[in-house]
Amino acid sequence: MARGGVAPQPLQLEHDLLRALERERRQLADAQQIAKVGSWERDAENGERLWSAQQYRNHGFDPEGPVPTTEEVLERVHPDDRELLRSALEASDADAGELWVSYRVVLPGGEVREIETVGRPFTDPDGSKRMMGTSRDVPAEHDAARLKQEIFALI
């Protein structure tokens, strides 16, 4: 019962739940943008794919557009890393295994980003299978590692 001994009305309850859900969705989107971590999901049976807004941004695509095809994503991947990513995706598809791959993305303006993608298969309660994961932009870590290698090369 609500304050004053009156039970909340079903429409008010629905409204409150929708507001709470929207607040959590915004919070997740903001957290992903701050951390530069995108999320993705692919239905193993029909191939349908979902991307978070940050997943689009990490790969240089418009979050308002359709989910890019695998080929469109591979076009953005640095030429030296394309086969690595393609092989990792095919291997995870073939055995429904976990995915871990690091690759570079070349954005339309020429900026290069280092992306680390991790994914794993899930089976939903209804038995449907899907692959779900994250991709994060990791420039600071890789820049620091490269700088360390350059410094040690000078010593």
Side-chain angles (χ1 to χ4, degrees), residues 5-88:
V6 178
Q9 297 297 312
L11 288 178
Q12 181 63 43
L13 211 66
E14 182 178 332
H15 174 74
D16 292 347
L17 288 172
L18 288 173
R19 282 185 50 206
L21 184 60
E22 177 59 23
R23 186 174 49 250
E24 286 187 24
R25 188 204 61 76
R26 277 194 324 269
Q27 184 180 24
L28 176 60
D30 291 345
Q32 285 188 346
Q33 188 169 9
I34 291 166
K36 296 186 177 182
V37 174
S39 58
W40 54 268
E41 184 175 324
R42 184 179 51 77
D43 186 299
E45 293 160 15
N46 66 21
E48 181 183 0
R49 297 175 313 129
L50 302 170
W51 277 21
S52 70
Q54 188 60 40
Q55 181 74 359
Y56 283 89
R57 286 190 287 272
N58 283 352
H59 290 82
F61 291 100
D62 179 3
E64 298 299 319
V67 176
T69 65
T70 300
E71 287 308 313
E72 289 171 327
V73 172
L74 287 170
E75 288 174 12
R76 295 266 168 102
V77 172
H78 190 283
D80 293 343
D81 297 345
R82 283 184 189 144
E83 192 52 42
L84 170 73
L85 180 57
R86 186 186 316 272
S87 296

Side-chain angles (χ1 to χ4, degrees), residues 12 28 48 75 90 96 104 121 127 135 141 147 155:
Q12 181 63 43
L28 176 60
E48 181 183 0
E75 288 174 12
E90 288 172 358
R104 292 166 290 174
S135 294
E141 295 169 28
L147 180 60
I155 298 177

Side-chain angles (χ1 to χ4, degrees), residues 98-109:
E98 294 198 5
L99 171 69
W100 182 92
V101 63
S102 184
Y103 53 94
R104 292 166 290 174
V105 171
V106 182
L107 302 182

